[in-house]
């Protein structure tokens, strides 16, 4: 028997280190998760360095690696992937930024770095798109709103660099920084110039925009300046379908993850009520994934939430969230004809409130796998598993082989 | 104590996935093999990705990797290695093909793709070698018979490519295909032209050959056309002796494996009655290996048979063959002064009837190894072993170190 499709479930920031407040268990080890344990018991387990041992992954570089794209060759910054996440179609060589709407006072000091968490900024972004003129500098651009106060900006033009600073001063009460090249390269200078020009022109448009005037009348912070950060040059990403011969989709609330999926050619599947946070509609995600699997070879589902608790250093909350996730995974063990892969994109230990390079536990469950003696899902349990210690880039090739879609190399 | 020589035993296609007809054990797990178990118990075990996780090896690419030659840089096709296997001395840049003698009818349709499994074709091949003239196109060639209906062809000349199709139409009742370049490169066009010319001229010679006229009188299929496939360019393979400082030999019935050995400079040791199949003289191979070890640092023995059963999807036959092999390995545990390495070149799961990327189990047995708690040879047992999960390219350096022939890197 051989499964014919792959469900790739990435529980963001799940893995951790022993937490004193949990009797030196990790949140995953301390939590009750009978569904994950059942997958582990009937599957094969292991531990995985998302990128390489000792390398602390971002969610972006980790997801690229998990999809088999070497971040060393295709990643220069988060911006281009956020652009994809907001629906901008990035081409290799384009420069992308993640953006925030923010507020500056009439005397030019930053008063709110998130513009009062403004929402529904599409009209503002459209005005900026229509009004800003960079064509005279030989640069095309696309500017689009993202979730909440977020947006994304992409530049297209000859000889543009991505090594530029941000204008976000990271604190209130000071003026925005000027964007400057991070070296002496002409392409970076050209991009920095274009950024400052974009910021200047967009601020003029935003200052007069009726939506901002209305916000001021209501005592709300106007979204009257755009902060640019995470500059990166879009890399050349071989389409997923061509690379693996698999047709796939992605289910993720975070625009970064959805953007990575979209950048490699995975179809983005919308799900009602997903938030990228602990209150997300996980049940809806799993249901959507099962629907997708009826006509896809591969579905990537990213579940956020555990990562948040890790960043907050809240081990008990992380444990409780794992238990919540597990309840929503109840349909998985009964899924027919499906290879189920469960992992995290990185560890987010509560003790350091940030990502770490600790390997993450992995389960591969489905027809034909060589099971092992591990019967629970946990960081230390899976270290005894039959997969041994693998790398993120190995996982999808292993899964593809198990659904019999790998090609023989040689004769 | 340190062993001074290495026996490298590769059981071709041995590893498998759980088989329902064997109570979800693999053939290796289900079989009784006290000798292999004794080696595992007194040695150190592990699992190995012959090339890399998720990469499905051919027997050729796997053996190259096991000998420490990266197929990515030295392998473009099976042809040059088959040439070596038939005794053609390949130089870097030569183009090699594996060939079949076949039969076409007077009206030019293929009637038997193996020429009635003709044997003893040396006289035919010599006539082709003497009669075909490619010198006027600036191309030298060597054409030699292999086992049964098989042969090999090598081209030598300037600017020859290897990206060409085959003339084997893969079915009877149709004319042979024309060989064509797989792109627009001039070297490939030149090779394709030479192939078609070779096929045309050799067919004229074969049509009139007395041996074929005699076959026709006897109602047998004449061997009157040559099929060419597996085109590849011979890579630059550092001689084994220079690479490792070890003097070695190879014992293998399959011309492909013998050819790989010969290509890297291992001495090929003939053994009576070896067939590359389940009826092979395994005892003779082991006896020859033991004789060789009296004056060699390294002996590679390939045992075919398990791979066949995997390709046939016959788990019970595979299990029985493993038991047969094990009986013939009885002299091994008593071998003095020898590091015994046992592995497979790839998995050939009965469930998929083809090679897979599942890792293979490995034993390293001999003086000085750090033993582990594993006391049986099996895919899942060895996953708990002390070697962990390694790659094919790691195995020979590990073995060389254990016989104290590795050099210190640094001070």
């Amino acid at each position: 028997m051989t499964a014919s499709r792959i469900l790739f479930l990435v529980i963001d920031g799940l893995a951790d280190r022993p937490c004193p407040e949990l009797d030196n268990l990790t949140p995953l080890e301390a939590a009750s998760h009978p569904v994950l344990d059942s997958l582990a018991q009937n599957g094969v387990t292991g531990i995985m360095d998302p990128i390489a041992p000792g390398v602390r992954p971002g969610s972006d570089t980790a997801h690229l690696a998990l999809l088999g794209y070497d971040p060393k060759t295709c990643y220069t910054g988060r911006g281009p992937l956020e652009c994809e996440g907001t629906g901008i179609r990035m081409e290799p060589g384009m420069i992308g930024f993640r953006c925030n709407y923010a507020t500056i006072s009439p005397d030019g000091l930053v008063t709110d770095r998130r513009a009062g968490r403004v929402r529904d900024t599409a009209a503002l972004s459209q005005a900026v798109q229509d009004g800003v003129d960079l064509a005279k500098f030989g640069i095309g651009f696309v500017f689009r709103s993202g979730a909440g106060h977020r947006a994304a900006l992409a530049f297209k033009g000859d000889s543009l660099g991505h090594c530029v600073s941000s204008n976000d001063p990271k604190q209130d009460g000071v003026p925005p920084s000027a964007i400057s090249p991070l070296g002496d390269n002409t392409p970076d200078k050209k991009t920095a110039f274009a950024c400052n020009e974009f910021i200047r022109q967009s601020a003029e448009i935003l200052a007069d925009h009726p939506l901002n005037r209305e916000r001021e009348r209501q005592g709300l912070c106007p979204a009257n300046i755009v902060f640019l950060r995470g500059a990166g040059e879009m890399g050349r990403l071989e389409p997923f379908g061509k690379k693996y011969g698999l047709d796939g989709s992605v289910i993720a609330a975070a625009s970064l993850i959805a953007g990575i999926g979209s950048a490699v050619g995975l179809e983005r599947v919308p799900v009602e009520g997903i938030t990228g946070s602990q209150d997300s509609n996980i049940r809806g995600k799993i249901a959507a994934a099962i629907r997708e699997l009826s006509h896809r070879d591969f579905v990537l589902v990213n579940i956020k939430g555990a990562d948040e608790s890790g960043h907050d250093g809240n081990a008990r909350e992380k444990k409780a969230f794992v238990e919540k996730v597990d309840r929503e995974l109840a349909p998985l063990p009964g899924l027919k004809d499906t290879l189920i892969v469960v992992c995290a994109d990185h560890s987010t230990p509560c003790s350091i409130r940030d990502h770490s390079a600790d390997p993450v536990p992995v389960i591969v469950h489905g027809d034909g796998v060589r099971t092992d003696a591990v019967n629970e899902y946990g960081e230390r349990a899976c270290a005894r598993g039959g997969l041994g210690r693998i790398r993120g880039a190995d996982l999808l090739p292993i899964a593809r082989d198990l659904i019999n879609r790998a090609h023989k190399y040689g004769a």
Side-chain angles (χ1 to χ4, degrees), chain A:
Chain A
M1 290 287 290
T2 304
S4 70
R5 52 202 186 164
I6 300 167
L7 172 60
F8 220 75
L9 180 65
V10 181
I11 307 177
D12 211 293
L14 171 67
D16 211 299
R17 293 180 181 168
C19 299
E21 62 270 51
L22 300 174
D23 293 332
N24 281 319
L25 298 177
T26 69
L28 178 60
E29 288 169 344
S32 162
H33 36 66
V35 178
L36 288 165
D37 290 346
S38 148
L39 292 172
Q41 180 164 12
N42 300 301
V44 62
T45 64
I47 55 174
M48 176 173 75
D49 298 290
I51 297 175
V55 176
R56 287 193 166 179
S59 279
D60 44 11
T61 50
H63 275 80
L64 284 168
L66 287 175
L67 291 171
Y69 297 88
D70 182 358
K72 280 214 184 70
T73 62
C74 69
Y75 178 85
T76 55
R78 179 167 169 169
L81 303 170
E82 290 281 357
C83 286
E84 281 278 352
T86 66
I88 301 173
R89 187 74 213 134
M90 297 295 286
E91 295 161 23
M94 285 173 71
I95 307 296
F97 302 86
R98 51 194 296 221
C99 306
N100 281 3
Y101 277 104
T103 306
I104 51 173
S105 61
D107 53 349
L109 302 183
V110 175
T111 56
D112 191 319
R113 293 176 52 249
R114 296 186 182 88
R117 293 201 176 264
V118 60
R119 307 178 71 147
D120 304 322
T121 63
L124 293 177
S125 298
Q126 189 61 52
V128 168
Q129 180 71 59
D130 295 340
V132 169
D133 178 14
L134 301 177
K136 57 190 167 194
F137 309 114
I139 295 169
F141 78 94
V142 186
F143 182 64
R144 286 187 68 154
S145 290
H149 60 287
R150 299 184 189 87
L153 169 67
F155 286 158
K156 185 175 180 177
D158 292 336
S159 307
L160 290 173
H162 69 274
C163 298
V164 299
S165 65
S166 169
N167 62 330
D168 181 353
K170 301 268 181 151
Q171 54 178 309
D172 290 348
V174 298
S177 313
I179 289 188
S180 54
L182 300 177
D184 205 35
N185 288 332
T186 307
D188 298 331
K189 289 179 185 168
K190 185 172 172 186
T191 297
F193 174 84
C195 288
N196 290 319
E197 193 62 27
F198 173 86
I199 293 159
R200 188 187 63 75
Q201 293 185 32
S202 59
E204 282 177 12
I205 293 161
L206 294 169
D208 286 337
H209 196 280
L211 205 145
N212 272 333
R213 294 209 163 147
E214 176 59 28
R215 283 181 70 83
E216 286 170 316
R217 263 194 297 278
Q218 294 178 15
L220 299 172
C221 293
N224 58 8
I225 188 165
V226 181
F227 284 162
L228 275 53
R229 59 198 173 111
E233 179 180 332
M234 186 64 183
R236 200 168 290 278
L237 296 166
E238 185 184 10
F240 187 88
K242 192 170 166 212
K243 187 176 173 78
Y244 296 110
L246 302 177
D247 173 51
S249 56
V250 57
I251 297 172
S255 62
L256 179 64
I257 308 305
I260 289 170
S262 141
V264 303
L266 298 178
E267 183 79 20
R268 188 171 172 177
V269 179
V271 176
E272 199 76 33
I274 62 175
T275 64
S277 192
Q278 301 210 339
D279 61 355
S280 195
N281 177 12
I282 301 169
R283 187 171 305 179
K285 278 186 176 177
I286 298 301
I290 293 172
R291 280 194 305 275
E292 280 295 296
L293 285 167
S294 69
H295 59 282
R296 300 281 188 196
D297 304 316
F298 173 86
V299 178
L300 167 65
V301 178
N302 173 281
I303 294 180
K304 275 268 184 194
D307 183 54
E308 263 184 4
S309 302
H311 281 289
D312 292 344
N314 193 335
R316 287 198 180 83
E317 183 186 80
K318 191 167 179 179
K319 167 176 176 280
F321 181 71
V322 171
E323 294 180 340
K324 173 180 171 179
V325 170
D326 191 73
R327 287 191 291 273
E328 305 298 359
L329 300 182
L332 296 194
L335 258 190
K336 296 275 178 251
D337 194 28
T338 305
L339 194 81
I340 300 173
V341 177
V342 181
C343 65
D345 56 345
H346 52 74
S347 302
T348 309
C350 294
S351 57
I352 61 170
R353 300 179 176 223
D354 202 351
H355 302 187
S356 78
D358 299 277
V360 301
V362 182
I363 305 169
V364 179
H365 174 278
D367 294 328
V369 304
R370 297 175 184 161
T371 51
D372 57 28
V374 174
N375 52 23
E376 56 180 308
Y377 187 49
E379 291 88 344
R380 285 176 277 202
C382 291
R384 301 190 301 270
L387 285 173
R389 182 171 187 154
I390 60 174
R391 294 196 182 202
D394 299 331
L395 192 53
L396 190 46
I398 288 172
R400 185 175 69 144
D401 177 61
L402 284 165
I403 64 162
N404 207 16
R405 296 287 289 272
H407 301 292
K408 190 154 57 177
Y409 173 41

